[in-house]
Amino acid sequence: QVQLVESGGGLVQAGGSTRLSCVASGASFTKWTRAWFRRSPGKEREFVAGISWNGRLPYYEDSMKGRVTISIDNDKSVIHLEMKNLKPEDTAVYYCAADQDGLGFRTTSAYEYWGQGTQVTVSS
């Protein structure tokens, strides 16, 4: 049974940084795509960043480029999302997701597995 568990986040001041992690278990995750999405209050869940199973192909939502970095550990079980220069509009629940087909899509429907989410609140 695949499980994804996020950690990190919390309350951050505007302009600050934070690092989220997602530990995956229950599969080898070879060839899987892993990603981060977020849902801000009153909005749909949106793509933030994704990465191929070997870490060679990170990709980002255009509006987030330059402020976020996604990475994956060598054993492929843990991914991270580092965010800097945070803004109040970055306040959201951040979700880790995994796609066993490794397609690298940016839509929620492409991802079969989801974590419970971790709250990031950016104060002004």
Side-chain angles (χ1 to χ4, degrees):
Q1 180 180 357
V2 174
Q3 290 189 321
L4 307 177
V5 180
E6 303 96 337
S7 62
L11 180 62
V12 185
Q13 286 191 332
S17 302
T18 194
R19 188 188 199 215
L20 309 181
S21 298
C22 173
V23 179
S25 61
S28 69
F29 301 103
T30 300
K31 306 298 184 183
W32 292 48
T33 294
R34 309 277 295 280
W36 289 95
F37 287 76
R38 70 181 184 183
R39 183 166 62 197
S40 303
K43 294 186 178 181
E44 298 287 324
R45 195 173 299 194
E46 63 178 356
F47 173 79
V48 176
I51 194 164
S52 59
W53 67 281
N54 57 12
R56 295 176 185 171
L57 295 172
Y59 52 104
Y60 302 95
E61 172 60 30
D62 287 344
S63 64
M64 303 295 288
K65 284 181 181 177
R67 295 199 300 122
V68 300
T69 302
I70 188 170
S71 60
I72 187 167
D73 286 0
N74 288 337
D75 66 359
K76 303 186 292 294
S77 66
V78 187
I79 64 169
H80 307 281
L81 183 71
E82 298 193 45
M83 300 187 288
K84 63 181 181 180
N85 191 23
L86 286 164
K87 307 172 183 179
E89 51 264 42
D90 293 318
T91 295
V93 177
Y94 285 74
Y95 298 90
C96 171
D99 167 29
Q100 63 184 353
D101 296 321
L103 299 177
F105 288 171
R106 302 173 183 230
T107 55
T108 56
S109 60
Y111 293 82
E112 301 89 0
Y113 301 98
W114 294 85
Q116 293 298 307
T118 186
Q119 177 73 46
V120 174
T121 302
V122 183
S123 63
S124 57

